[in-house]
Amino acid sequence: MSCGVTGTTLRGMTHVPPPAEELRLLDAELWQLDNRRAQLLARRAWLVAALQAVPQPPRAPAPHAVPARPETDAPRVQNVLLLLGGVLLTVAAMVFTLVSWGHLGIAGRAAVLGVLTLGVLAAPVPLLRRGLRSTAESVAGLGLALTALDAYALHETVFAGTDGTACAAASTATLAVLWAAYGLLPRTSTLRLPVPAAVAAAQLPLLLWALAAETGPYGCAAALLVTAGLDTVVALRPTPSTPTPVRVTAAVGAYGMGGWGILTAGLLSWTAAGPSAAARAAALLLLAAGITVGASWRLATQGATGGVTDADGADVDGATTGDTTRAGAGESEAGSNTAAVGAAWRGGAGGRAPSGRVAGPGEDGVAVGHAAFGALLLVLAGGGLPRAVLPGDWTVPGYLACGVALLAALRGPLPTAVRRGFVRASGVAQAVAAVCALPLVVVALLGPLGWAREAWSGVPSDARAAVTVHTPWPAFPTQVLLAPVVVAVVLALLVRDATWRPRALTGATVLAWATVMTIPSAFQLPYLVALLVPGLLTAAALWAAASRPHPWIALAVGTSVPLVFLALSSQPATLAVLSALTALFAAASLRPRLTPVTAPTALVHATALACAIGAAAGWAPQHTALLVLAVPTAAALLAARLGDPRATVPVEASGIAAAVLAIGLAVPDRPMLALVLALCGVLAAGTAVRPDRRPVGYAAAALFVLAAWVRLAAWGVGTVEAYTLPVTVPALVVGAMRRRRDPQASSWTAYGPGLASTLLPSLVAAWADPHWVRPLLLAAAALLTTLLGARHRLQAPLVLGGSVLVLDALHELAPYLVQLTGALPRWVPFALAGLLLLTLGATYERRLSQARQLRDFLGGMH
């Protein structure tokens, strides 16, 4: 406030109440403050009481006080400690037995080790009574290890003079019996280790006895297979007395010892030098097959009856629920590992599967796999006997006969899974035998392709020489050709299912065809027979295709290809075969069902025939091209008469291919090339007459233009307009006709291509032409085009003509511009550039000013 204001003035401006009124106002304000303070104190007391009633969350401990999280649990720590303790005690016992043995006498040694073993074996009983099961298992394992050391000690002391292998056999057998008895005692029957350990020890006695007796590989294989058979019996026992670890151990032993024995028996059968050795090897394979098939039978039977029993072994669900051995179409075939898991999976009390569920289709697949493998072992056993008696050429037929004999299981009283396994094994054996004949078939079918480089070089001596012109004949006996024949017969006679019957007949047909095509070269028949066999097969296939196109039509076409290449060795054979094939496929084309395949094939053979005729007559390639053009002519006429699009397109494609071949043959001679191109243009124009082939007219025009260009090039014409005007005139005529039909059509579409095809090449030529005639004529044509475009208000003639006229004028003025540039001072270009920039800047500023005025005008509107 200003200092010049007097007190009298302030008293006149400020309202001061009387003292009584002011005292009343002060008392009222103090009362309101006391009232508000009381309310706030009450609220504070309530909040304090509420906070004391609610439990507070514990505070997070300091980072250094966070307890460490345990990385393992107590049971795992216990098991690790027990395992380490048992291992250390076992090592200590071994050190005592092997290193410190000499410090004690014989009586002391036996007493110490025996007392220690008995004590350790007796320790699990009180441990089990106190509930220390894991400790009891560890101590029992140590006791089993001590018994093995006892056996070693007995051999080193009492039986030191006996054979080590025989002693090992007796020791393992004794240990297996003792461990099993120890694990089956009433007070130790709950231990899981002794009985599986006994099963594992039982894998060795028979093999060790066979080695000790020097029975040779046959005795060792027999010992392995017998051991595998005993393991299979233990693994497939459905009683609750056989726990899961025992069955798993037995299954692993069965597959391990059985696989070793089967491999040994197979090698013995393959290397058998005489009938006696082959018979012994076959006996071993039959034993292995019996074990495998028996396991499959048992698995299939358990799957059919449910296989779920209670703890006492009584059947809980013994009612047969149907033929559960029937597998689905998409069921996978289990291998040996899956079979082992499947056999062990049936373990537990009474053969109950895990989670107590009934054996399902998965186990049925295991049964099928076992049956198939056992059946293959039967094939190996049966095929090894004739192999040792008959010559080596009959090895494949011998095994094939055994494989086909497996199909007798279809009539036998076998479970469904076993029958299916036998059928699949038979299929595998037949497939392997058929594959053995594949090298002969491949050479017989693909070997004739080598005549493409040796055409008309001379008639081969026989059919084998005809297919081995560049490929050696495989060192396979001709007897292997029996395999595809037998397989074809089996497919045709035994497959009766409605779904698989057509496929089986197709496979049988292909196998029979491959065999017949291979027979002439396999038996070295005359060359004429090598031509007649595929020729007759082609005719027969075309005749059969009339009623059943698939697969006969494919076989007919496939047979004609090697036949054509076989005929290339001789000129008369080539002409005769190509003529016959053309006639055969042309006659077959009369049937509408075969036309989409036979008509194009006939045209292809006719094209080859035309080339062969030209070569036989000694014509040059360009003259042969005229003869080849007869094929696209026939294709165009045939396509016009066909009403089926499935046949029209292949026929036209064959004709186009023949036309391209004719053009390629005529390339060396320019006049003949122009004639061929013109004839192809005529064919294309005739095809474009058809309503559904109107776009072919563009191809006809292109062919005519190419023909004209080639003719001009042949005449040595170098004028550009001679090449462009034949394109421009028809294009302008077509554009005018289009504008007449459609006045809304763009001038760029109607006249642009035609004008550009002449004006632009002529402009390029004019820029390189030192004379004045071409630029003058081009300028006149461009001026006329521009005037016509302006007269009819057409954009394309106006732009093209004006652009060409300006560029042509610049070309003519260029020398003078160069001279003018040399006469001007050097500062003139920079001055002109600055003037241009100033003009552009002024224009830019004017536009901005106009924009601001417009903005102000719009802003002033309401």
Side-chain angles (χ1 to χ4, degrees):
M1 182 177 290
S2 175
C3 297
V5 180
T6 62
T8 307
T9 306
L10 287 173
R11 284 192 298 270
M13 294 176 61
T14 304
H15 173 70
V16 180
E21 181 66 20
E22 185 176 0
L23 180 60
R24 187 184 65 83
L25 293 175
L26 291 175
D27 290 339
E29 290 292 337
L30 291 173
W31 181 83
Q32 291 180 0
L33 289 175
D34 291 338
N35 188 23
R36 181 60 178 166
R37 185 173 184 276
Q39 292 178 356
L40 293 176
L41 290 174
R43 180 63 179 172
R44 180 180 180 279
W46 184 86
L47 290 175
V48 171
L51 289 175
Q52 292 177 354
V54 177
Q56 296 296 323
R59 295 184 179 181
H64 62 274
V66 176
R69 186 174 65 88
E71 297 181 356
T72 184
D73 53 2
R76 293 184 180 179
V77 174
Q78 164 197 303
N79 293 335
V80 171
L81 293 177
L82 291 176
L83 177 62
L84 291 176
V87 170
L88 292 177
L89 289 176
T90 303
V91 172
M94 293 177 63
V95 172
F96 170 76
T97 305
L98 300 177
V99 179
S100 301
W101 189 256
H103 299 288
L104 297 176
I106 184 171
R109 301 172 189 172
V112 170
L113 199 56
V115 170
L116 180 62
T117 302
L118 292 176
V120 171
L121 291 177
V125 176
L127 292 174
L128 289 174
R129 190 181 300 114
R130 295 177 179 271
L132 303 176
R133 182 182 182 85
S134 299
T135 307
E137 293 284 355
S138 299
V139 175
L142 176 60
L144 299 181
L146 289 176
T147 55
L149 293 176
D150 289 336
Y152 172 77
L154 288 175
H155 175 263
E156 291 296 324
T157 56
V158 180
F159 304 104
T162 60
D163 180 51
T165 306
C167 186
S171 299
T172 52
T174 304
L175 289 176
V177 174
L178 292 177
W179 292 351
Y182 178 73
L184 295 177
L185 291 175
R187 297 190 179 184
T188 57
S189 59
T190 57
L191 293 175
R192 298 179 180 179
L193 184 60
V195 179
V199 174
Q203 309 300 314
L204 300 176
L206 292 179
L207 177 61
L208 294 175
W209 275 330
L211 293 174
E214 297 181 354
T215 57
Y218 292 94
C220 293
L224 291 171
L225 293 175
V226 171
T227 303
L230 297 175
D231 289 333
T232 303
V233 172
V234 174
L236 295 178
R237 290 186 63 188
T239 59
S241 60
T242 307
T244 301
V246 176
R247 303 179 71 179
V248 171
T249 306
V252 173
Y255 284 101
M257 305 300 284
W260 190 3
I262 290 172
L263 180 61
T264 304
L267 292 176
L268 292 174
S269 176
W270 186 256
T271 58
S276 176
R280 285 182 289 171
L284 294 175
L285 291 173
L286 288 176
L287 175 60
I291 295 171
T292 308
V293 175
S296 172
W297 195 313
R298 182 63 179 175
L299 289 171
T301 304
Q302 289 181 359
T305 57
V308 177
T309 55
D310 58 8
D312 297 330
D315 191 4
V316 175
D317 189 12
T320 302
T321 59
D323 192 2
T324 58
T325 61
R326 203 171 292 166
E331 177 183 286
S332 62
E333 292 301 324
S336 60
N337 293 334
T338 308
V341 175
W345 182 76
R346 289 180 179 272
R352 185 185 296 270
S355 302
R357 65 182 183 87
V358 180
E363 291 189 354
D364 182 54
V366 176
V368 173
H370 279 77
F373 187 72
L376 289 176
L377 293 178
L378 292 176
V379 173
L380 294 177
L385 292 175
R387 180 177 175 274
V389 178
L390 299 176
D393 297 344
W394 293 94
T395 298
V396 174
Y399 285 105
L400 177 61
C402 296
V404 175
L406 292 177
L407 297 176
L410 294 174
R411 302 293 182 181
L414 300 175
T416 304
V418 178
R419 288 202 302 270
R420 292 183 62 189
F422 271 62
V423 171
R424 296 187 183 186
S426 177
V428 171
Q430 295 179 56
V432 172
V435 168
C436 292
L438 188 60
L440 302 182
V441 176
V442 170
V443 174
L445 295 179
L446 301 182
L449 299 179
W451 287 108
R453 298 174 56 185
E454 306 288 341
W456 297 356
S457 59
V459 179
S461 58
D462 52 34
R464 181 173 295 184
V467 300
T468 56
V469 58
H470 285 300
T471 305
W473 186 254
F476 283 80
T478 56
Q479 286 82 352
V480 297
L481 291 177
L482 291 174
V485 176
V486 172
V487 175
V489 172
V490 170
L491 291 175
L493 296 181
L494 297 184
V495 179
R496 297 295 180 182
D497 184 72
T499 303
W500 291 95
R501 179 68 176 173
R503 305 175 189 177
L505 291 178
T506 301
T509 303
V510 173
L511 290 173
W513 167 79
T515 304
V516 175
M517 288 289 292
T518 312
I519 285 177
S521 55
F523 292 95
Q524 295 182 321
L525 299 179
Y527 174 66
L528 181 60
V529 177
L531 294 178
L532 289 177
V533 168
L536 295 176
L537 280 179
T538 303
L542 289 175
W543 176 79
S547 57
R548 186 169 173 261
H550 180 74
W552 295 106
I553 188 64
L555 292 180
V557 175
T559 308
S560 65
V561 175
L563 175 58
V564 170
F565 283 97
L566 275 175
L568 288 179
S569 61
S570 171
Q571 177 180 325
T574 302
L575 297 176
V577 167
L578 288 175
S579 301
L581 290 177
T582 303
L584 278 175
F585 283 97
S589 300
L590 298 176
R591 295 185 176 272
R593 299 176 61 185
L594 306 181
T595 304
V597 178
T598 55
T601 307
L603 293 174
V604 171
H605 290 310
T607 304
L609 178 61
C611 295
I613 291 174
W619 295 351
Q622 58 269 22
H623 298 106
T624 305
L626 295 176
L627 184 59
V628 173
L629 282 179
V631 177
T633 303
L637 296 175
L638 179 61
R641 297 176 60 88
L642 294 174
D644 187 2
R646 297 178 303 169
T648 302
V649 174
V651 168
E652 291 177 341
S654 302
I656 293 172
V660 172
L661 176 61
I663 294 173
L665 292 174
V667 166
D669 190 354
R670 290 185 178 179
M672 188 60 67
L673 177 60
L675 177 60
V676 171
L677 288 172
L679 293 176
C680 291
V682 171
L683 293 176
T687 303
V689 174
R690 294 161 48 191
D692 57 337
R693 292 293 185 267
R694 297 296 188 194
V696 183
Y698 297 103
L703 289 171
F704 284 129
V705 170
L706 288 175
W709 287 355
V710 172
R711 173 54 64 182
L712 291 173
W715 287 338
V717 177
T719 305
V720 176
E721 288 74 15
Y723 294 90
T724 58
L725 287 177
V727 179
T728 297
V729 174
L732 292 177
V733 172
V734 173
M737 295 175 61
R738 180 172 182 179
R739 288 275 298 179
R740 181 175 299 177
R741 292 195 306 266
D742 184 14
Q744 301 298 326
S746 173
S747 61
W748 288 102
T749 305
Y751 304 117
L755 293 174
S757 61
T758 293
L759 292 177
L760 298 181
S762 298
L763 178 61
V764 175
W767 274 73
D769 195 345
H771 304 287
W772 61 272
V773 178
R774 185 191 296 274
L776 180 60
L777 293 177
L778 178 60
L783 178 60
L784 178 61
T785 303
T786 304
L787 294 176
L788 290 175
R791 171 69 178 80
H792 297 283
R793 298 180 180 180
L794 298 176
Q795 190 180 49
L798 182 63
V799 173
L800 288 175
S803 301
V804 172
L805 181 61
V806 171
L807 293 174
D808 191 22
L810 289 176
H811 171 263
E812 294 301 317
L813 293 176
Y816 303 100
L817 294 176
V818 171
Q819 295 177 4
L820 181 61
T821 303
L824 291 175
R826 295 184 178 181
W827 57 268
V828 173
F830 298 98
L832 293 176
L835 182 61
L836 176 63
L837 292 176
L838 288 176
T839 304
L840 291 176
T843 304
Y844 186 75
E845 183 180 7
R846 184 181 178 185
R847 296 291 185 268
L848 289 178
S849 177
Q850 292 175 353
R852 284 194 295 268
Q853 292 176 4
L854 179 61
R855 184 190 61 187
D856 295 339
F857 174 74
L858 294 176
M861 296 177 65
H862 296 285

